[in-house]
Amino acid sequence: MNANRTLNVILGIYVALIFAFVFAPIIFSMIFSFNSQRFPTIPLGEFSTEWYAKILADPDVWEAALNSLIVSTCTALIATFLGFCTAYSDFRYNFRFKGPYLALILLPPTIPLIIMALAMLAWFSKIGMSGQLYSVIIAHSVLTAPFAMAVIRLRLNQMDPDLEAAAWNLGGSEWQTMRSVIIPFCKPAIASALFLTAAVSFDEFAVSWFVSGLNKTLPVIILEIVQGNIDPQVNAIGTFVFLISMTLVVLAQVFFASRQLKSIRS
Amino acid sequence: MSAPLVVFDKVEKQFGDFVAVKQLDFEIREGEFLAIMGPSGCGKTTTLRMLAGLDAPTVGEIRLGGRVMNDVAPHDRDTPLVWQSLALFPFLTARQNVEFGLKMRGVGAAERKERALKWLEKMGILEFADRDISTLSGGQKQRVALARSLVMEPQILLLDEPLSALDAHLVIRMQAVLTDLQRELGITFVYVTHSQSEAFAMADRVIIMGKGEIAQIGTPKDIYRAPANQFVAEFVGRNNILSGNVQALSNETARITTPSGNFTVPTNTVQLTQGAKASFVISADLVHISLGEPDGENKAQCKLISEEFVGSMVTLFLEDAHGQEFKVQMQERELSKFDLNSGDQIWLSWDTASAHVLDQS
């Protein structure tokens, strides 16, 4: 009993340390974004929103933010659509080479980003599609579709396989059944996949940097600011980007967890 | 007799190299309660799925009301199925589940609601209309599943082991609900089950299937008293099977020699030949017991092994000196007159007319 309690305390400290290790840099970045001093040193200067004012006044940052918004929204829609289609084809059909088919679909996230980015750049240049905003969208869709598929596939695996046939049996055509049974059943997973792919796309740097050309996204502009000199503006943008990604990931988790809870309850 | 509603015409179904069912040749009459019964893997569910259009026959023809159904898509048929898993839509309420089929058929919202509520009321679950499916009990879900199929007002209702997930006492209740419904609506029920008690309690006719083929079609009484072959006799259970050779043939009876003695059987159902192998059954409830040696041609002395009580009925399990097992079913109050203990030697006897010779093929 006593030994158990000691162990629990030690494990609690261990977990707290891990969280501190992961989040300390981000928290410091947030603190310094409100610091009046130019260099990130302690003791801190006064509280200031100077750096926020500065980035809000910068048209380049605004453009990058808009680009990031467009890219992540379009990527989320395309990747989730592709992910849903592949997950459904896996659920519904049995065919030859299904194993290799699934492996191939799940491959992109395992390729090192820098290799992926170079390959994308080379390919897009070859077919004259590089340097456009849609190039980033295509590249990000390829990159994130496997995540969407994994999330939706998990949900479809929880479905009673008789459900679809039951809808046909009650007079539903294939399309009616898709609309009124498969999609409603997968709705939480689809929402989760949308937020997750949007978050991954919003944060992604390497591929964006290679294929975006002049249409920079937020992570790309952050690097450009850092490359020039040490500028606390980066902390302000960083805080901003972090909050947006965290919101998206949390939303994805909320949809994911609520359905898990529901399925445990029933 | 009216024309059959459904005809299975030499239907065969293969999945790859595996033959699920073959030589399915039977009719389903309008308004009857037909049970298809057999051990798991006998092809009974495949038969039902073919009727619903979820599997297509490899060979042969299925006709519904005279129309060939082989190439008709499931959603163009009017053959609602009550699933073993119930297959209720978990993201809809009870009422929305019942409305589903009507919605697919393009029935307007007001009429849908009215018809759904009418059926929920009929099934005694109106108060749960707006509840989520996951909050309902097994029996309530069962009723939603029935209402969801019956709201379509079909000519024929298919049921695939619908009671297998319920507790024993609920099964009895739902059996009464189902037979009452079938009588009231006058529509055809096709009921697939592995449970003999369910099939015999509800069905007008029973099809016994084994290894993808029909073993016997008949009324529950036919099947119980006069099983067509060894497979049916063993599947039906509560009867005694004896095997031996034909020793003597007379006009209407035959004398059969078995290790347990010589017995007389009627030969009105099967053609027997002198010296050939023959098996016959006697239903467990047609065997009499006595302490002293009885008169008559059919008797065996046995040792009582054990007793099994089910309510007022009791089944005795016995064995004779040659290892042949016997079962006797009788009223408990009859048995109590004998004051028996396990290990006691008693005599069994039965009338010649109670024996039924099995088809050897």
Side-chain angles (χ1 to χ4, degrees), chain A residues 155 159-177 179-186 262 265-266, chain B residues 49 52 54 74-75 77 79-81 83 85-92 97 100-105 132 134 148-149 152 158:
Chain A
R155 179 63 175 162
M159 191 166 99
D160 175 357
D162 288 338
L163 227 51
E164 196 176 27
W168 300 335
N169 179 253
L170 290 165
S173 65
E174 296 256 351
W175 275 112
Q176 279 179 310
T177 302
R179 269 211 321 272
S180 31
V181 175
I182 306 291
I183 291 179
F185 187 87
C186 292
K262 218 170 175 178
R265 226 178 7 154
S266 59
Chain B
R49 286 177 64 88
L54 300 168
H75 64 264
R77 299 183 185 212
T79 50
L81 174 60
W83 301 75
S85 66
L86 298 184
L88 294 170
F89 304 116
F91 44 86
L92 299 178
N97 262 281
F100 188 90
L102 299 173
K103 198 173 171 186
M104 295 297 111
R105 294 268 191 246
D132 270 351
S134 59
R148 184 178 72 171
S149 291
M152 306 297 287
L158 313 180

Side-chain angles (χ1 to χ4, degrees), chain B residues 33 51 61 72 84 94 123 157 160-161 175 232 249 264-265 301 337:
Chain B
F33 196 132
L51 192 47
E61 223 174 65
V72 179
Q84 181 168 17
M123 300 305 301
L157 180 70
D160 185 11
E161 309 221 15
Q175 281 181 5
V232 177
L249 277 168
T264 306
V265 297
Q301 195 181 23
K337 293 174 191 161

Side-chain angles (χ1 to χ4, degrees), chain A:
Chain A
M1 191 69 203
N2 225 344
N4 224 333
R5 209 149 137 203
T6 321
L7 187 68
N8 276 342
V9 170
I10 292 171
L11 286 176
I13 293 168
Y14 174 69
V15 171
L17 279 174
I18 287 182
F19 274 110
F21 186 74
V22 170
F23 287 104
I26 296 164
I27 290 165
F28 273 91
S29 166
M30 282 180 178
I31 292 169
F32 286 126
S33 74
F34 291 107
N35 185 8
S36 62
Q37 286 179 6
R38 184 166 176 77
F39 294 100
T41 53
I42 290 180
L44 294 170
E46 292 152 30
F47 178 83
S48 148
T49 54
E50 182 192 344
W51 313 115
Y52 284 93
K54 218 167 167 182
I55 59 162
L56 287 179
D58 186 341
D60 283 353
V61 171
W62 276 105
E63 205 193 316
L66 185 66
N67 283 344
S68 276
L69 185 71
I70 294 170
V71 168
S72 60
T73 308
C74 294
T75 299
L77 292 172
I78 295 170
T80 303
F81 175 74
L82 290 176
F84 176 80
C85 292
T86 31
Y88 182 72
S89 69
D90 166 51
F91 166 77
R92 173 80 188 275
Y93 302 102
N94 262 318
F95 43 87
R96 264 162 72 95
F97 306 120
K98 189 169 169 177
Y101 166 79
L102 288 176
L104 214 59
I105 287 165
L106 291 170
L107 203 60
T110 67
I111 300 169
L113 274 177
I114 193 76
I115 308 279
M116 185 83 165
L118 275 168
M120 285 279 181
L121 176 65
W123 171 246
F124 282 144
S125 318
K126 190 126 198 145
I127 59 174
M129 283 174 69
S130 79
Q132 305 296 322
L133 208 53
Y134 65 74
S135 328
V136 189
I137 294 172
I138 294 171
H140 278 184
S141 299
V142 171
L143 209 62
T144 57
F147 295 115
M149 171 188 161
V151 171
I152 295 167
R153 189 160 167 249
L154 216 60
R155 179 63 175 162
L156 278 172
N157 282 343
Q158 292 174 347
M159 191 166 99
D160 175 357
D162 288 338
L163 227 51
E164 196 176 27
W168 300 335
N169 179 253
L170 290 165
S173 65
E174 296 256 351
W175 275 112
Q176 279 179 310
T177 302
M178 174 60 77
R179 269 211 321 272
S180 31
V181 175
I182 306 291
I183 291 179
F185 187 87
C186 292
K187 224 181 202 165
I190 291 172
S192 185
L194 280 172
F195 288 120
L196 189 69
T197 49
V200 172
S201 163
F202 196 79
D203 282 352
E204 203 285 326
F205 164 72
V207 174
S208 308
W209 191 72
F210 274 86
V211 300
S212 64
L214 295 173
N215 301 291
K216 293 163 198 155
T217 60
L218 275 179
V220 175
I221 210 125
I222 290 176
L223 185 82
E224 289 201 346
I225 295 172
V226 176
Q227 269 177 334
N229 48 31
I230 295 175
D231 189 333
Q233 274 190 71
V234 172
N235 291 330
I237 304 181
T239 303
F240 191 63
V241 171
F242 173 75
L243 288 178
I244 290 181
S245 322
M246 276 318 271
T247 311
L248 290 172
V249 171
V250 166
L251 282 174
Q253 278 297 320
V254 164
F255 280 100
F256 194 80
S258 71
R259 96 176 116 89
Q260 295 294 351
L261 283 178
K262 218 170 175 178
S263 65
I264 288 165
R265 226 178 7 154
S266 59

